[in-house]
Amino acid sequence: MLDGTIRLLEKLCSTSRSHGLMQSDHCVHMALLYKSLSRKVLLTSAAMKRRITTDACQILMSPSLTSIDFPDIWTSSSCSDYSSITKSYDDQQTATVIDGRVIAEEITSGITSEVRRMKNATGNIPGLAVIMVGQRRDSQTYVRNKIAACEEAGIKSEISNLPEDCTEDQVLNALSRFHEDPSIHGILVQLPLPQHLDESKILNSVHLEKDVDGFHPLNMGNLAMRGREPLFLPCTPKGCIELLIRSGVEITGKRAVVIGRSNIVGLPTSLLLQRHHATVSIVHAFTRNPEQIAREADIVVAAAGVPNLVRGSWLKPGAIVIDVGTNPVEDPSCEFGYRLIGDVCYEEASRVASAITPVPGGVGPVTVAMLLLNTLESAKRAHNFA
């Protein structure tokens, strides 16, 4: 089975090379990576055949889940290259723009009023701490936006800036300081972290009651189970649902496709859509015929982290498109030397979809508003304020 996966991967690489989409060295690296990973699984399976014991881990033929957690490696497509598009578009058909900035302002206004009411009643205000590792320009921009939003809403904010080469203990020590600070009600670790740091260990170390990002395993588990309520919903998925509801989109009974399955966005978004009674499919880098699957969706949430992955041909007419992608592309003419583009080719999708979120100005501002709301809710719980 895994050999078949490798052969499929190599075939995809060969096809991609013929279209100029991937570099030969990259394909070789991918094939070697999968052969290396699969060899471990096959050796484990062979060992299980030879020695069956009373240990359940040895009895089963199936490998451990982490051993088959292969990385999703996507092939991007250029929005300026229309050669692969066979469908013609009506230039007069333009999607309604779902303005995330306007919706975020409405939500933030309500948060600001609640912060003021809490301060007048208890003398306390919510507090958010951000741990920033390294000097990624896009991460710095996101953190600036979050701090500015906190200031606007009257929420206290603190930043712990750590160097790119910091140790795991330094990050955990920063977490510990914020855990012990009663004026901090929410802690956010800005992702992605440098590769030498154990992201899972660090995120799992955030105390549940201050996990305003909603990434703690207990929060994720409660999201997945019907009848359970997480302390916090992850901010971006929560924002996606709010965008849909405030735009008058009916979710119940609709067919939704989530493109991407990251622990941060894709997975929790699919779970949250299910909780809202949508019929959900997940498309990932190993999905066969992803374009065909996406074309069946009433609601498409693109969260693969690949610029312009979703073309107009991926959408059925009238679909609702939520573009979570925020991909920095170098642009010297911009203030910070780069600009953001989405996972969806906006120029094409806006001629097919009935409504679409822009990048920037769509999901991003609402995600920040959800972070402020989670921080406010955490502070209310801490101070028994209703």
Side-chain angles (χ1 to χ4, degrees), residues 331-351:
D331 187 342
S333 66
C334 294
E335 180 181 358
F336 298 108
Y338 69 93
R339 58 187 173 88
L340 297 177
I341 64 173
D343 287 358
V344 178
C345 186
Y346 186 87
E347 289 78 2
E348 296 178 10
S350 62
R351 295 186 177 98

Side-chain angles (χ1 to χ4, degrees), residues 69 77 116 137 157 160 225 250-251 377:
D69 274 345
S77 51
R116 190 181 304 115
R137 291 181 300 175
S157 62
S160 176
M225 299 177 69
E250 178 65 39
I251 302 175
E377 291 173 348

Side-chain angles (χ1 to χ4, degrees), residues 60-219:
L60 298 178
M61 292 290 295
S62 55
S64 68
L65 292 179
T66 54
S67 73
I68 54 174
D69 274 345
F70 301 137
D72 277 355
I73 303 174
W74 296 83
T75 300
S76 179
S77 51
S78 170
C79 200
S80 61
D81 176 17
Y82 289 88
S83 60
S84 64
I85 300 297
T86 58
K87 181 176 177 179
S88 61
Y89 299 101
D90 181 0
D91 289 341
Q92 302 303 315
Q93 183 179 356
T94 303
T96 299
V97 176
I98 301 175
D99 194 333
R101 290 192 175 100
V102 171
I103 293 174
E105 286 174 4
E106 294 172 356
I107 297 169
T108 303
S109 176
I111 294 170
T112 303
S113 298
E114 278 297 281
V115 169
R116 190 181 304 115
R117 188 173 72 89
M118 179 179 174
K119 182 179 181 180
N120 292 338
T122 69
N124 298 295
I125 62 172
L128 174 69
V130 179
I131 296 176
M132 171 76 183
V133 181
Q135 300 293 322
R136 279 180 60 112
R137 291 181 300 175
D138 54 334
S139 292
Q140 289 174 330
T141 300
Y142 303 150
V143 169
R144 277 195 299 268
N145 292 341
K146 291 166 185 174
I147 298 305
C150 283
E151 184 177 348
E152 179 185 346
I155 293 175
K156 170 187 174 180
S157 62
E158 291 190 21
I159 306 179
S160 176
N161 286 300
L162 298 174
E164 179 84 18
D165 59 353
C166 72
T167 66
E168 204 167 271
D169 284 342
Q170 286 176 290
V171 180
L172 295 176
N173 287 339
L175 273 176
S176 181
R177 288 196 303 274
F178 291 135
H179 286 148
E180 295 169 4
D181 187 344
S183 71
I184 296 298
H185 306 96
I187 301 173
L188 179 149
V189 180
Q190 183 64 39
L191 301 177
L193 293 172
Q195 289 188 350
H196 71 279
L197 298 175
D198 187 337
E199 185 175 290
S200 296
K201 178 180 178 181
I202 290 170
L203 293 180
N204 291 347
S205 298
V206 179
H207 286 182
L208 181 64
E209 65 274 14
K210 295 190 178 186
D211 174 38
V212 289
D213 250 344
F215 296 153
H216 192 284
L218 284 177
N219 274 323

